[in-house]
Amino acid sequence: MLRRMIRGVLLAATAALTIASPAAAQAGASGDIAARLLSAHNRERAAVGAAPLQWDPVLAAHAASYGATLVRLRALVHSPRESRSGERENLAMAWHGTMNAEQMIGLWINEKRLLRAGLFPAVSRTGQWEDVAHYTQMVWPTTTRVGCAIVSADWDYLVCRYSPPGNIDGKPVFAGTTLSAR
């Protein structure tokens, strides 16, 4: 009985997350997964007064392409900025089947507890901008589009690409419920 329940949970998690292989991921997330990823972003943006993002299939394809690289590297390493002109990137990974898409994005949302008002990059209570940069990119007020992919092997890699890029040095980031595009 317990074995059947565990198997059911694992199958459900795998079905919710998995893109079968890096080769199958070339188009990025689509359908229900894309809608869930976009919805998670837009819920958080609404909470801080930022306009909703639109799904961009080109950004999703870029995310999928780099996700395949992460599978080969077996590590979470950002792509070189020069290879993604006009795009920013958020990355997350979890052991295959242990987290759904919303839980992976939740890792980025949890960074808001370390955010403090200020000019980027001096916006982290820890003094390390990297501790809040996934969250600030998610809710950056001048970003209008997102595209993501989940590519799986032993690990599930979530890659989201954003445009126009956020996390711009010298621009204000506000902790709390309102962000400004000033």
Side-chain angles (χ1 to χ4, degrees):
M1 172 83 162
L2 180 58
R3 179 178 289 172
R4 200 168 14 155
M5 286 176 35
I6 291 171
R7 183 174 181 265
V9 169
L10 290 174
L11 287 174
T14 300
L17 258 186
T18 302
I19 295 174
S21 69
Q26 294 307 309
S30 61
D32 180 57
I33 298 267
R36 289 170 45 209
L37 291 165
L38 181 61
S39 179
H41 277 85
N42 285 336
R43 273 192 305 275
E44 195 57 32
R45 291 177 66 84
V48 297
L53 296 173
Q54 298 297 313
W55 188 260
D56 186 321
V58 172
L59 292 174
H62 293 173
S65 177
Y66 191 64
T69 299
L70 294 176
V71 166
R72 283 191 302 278
L73 293 173
R74 298 183 62 127
L76 207 56
V77 179
H78 281 284
S79 63
R81 273 202 181 173
E82 59 273 7
S83 72
R84 52 184 162 92
S85 179
E87 299 177 7
R88 287 294 186 269
E89 175 179 82
N90 276 356
L91 305 176
M93 67 187 278
W95 188 250
H96 181 63
T98 61
M99 297 178 85
N100 65 32
E102 292 85 358
Q103 289 169 323
M104 291 178 84
I105 286 180
L107 298 170
W108 304 335
I109 293 169
N110 286 338
E111 294 175 358
K112 71 181 168 185
R113 65 186 167 71
L114 301 175
L115 184 67
R116 67 177 176 89
L119 299 179
F120 194 86
V123 294
S124 174
R125 296 180 193 280
T126 67
Q128 302 295 314
W129 65 269
E130 299 92 340
D131 293 342
V132 298
H134 298 101
Y135 177 74
T136 55
Q137 177 54 76
M138 283 183 68
V139 298
W140 198 266
T142 58
T143 296
T144 59
R145 296 171 294 137
V146 65
C148 304
I150 298 172
V151 182
S152 298
D154 292 342
W155 294 88
D156 294 325
Y157 298 90
L158 171 61
V159 180
C160 289
R161 293 282 180 95
Y162 303 85
S163 188
N167 292 346
I168 301 167
D169 288 353
K171 296 293 182 182
V173 176
F174 296 92
T177 60
T178 305
L179 289 177
S180 173
R182 290 186 238 172

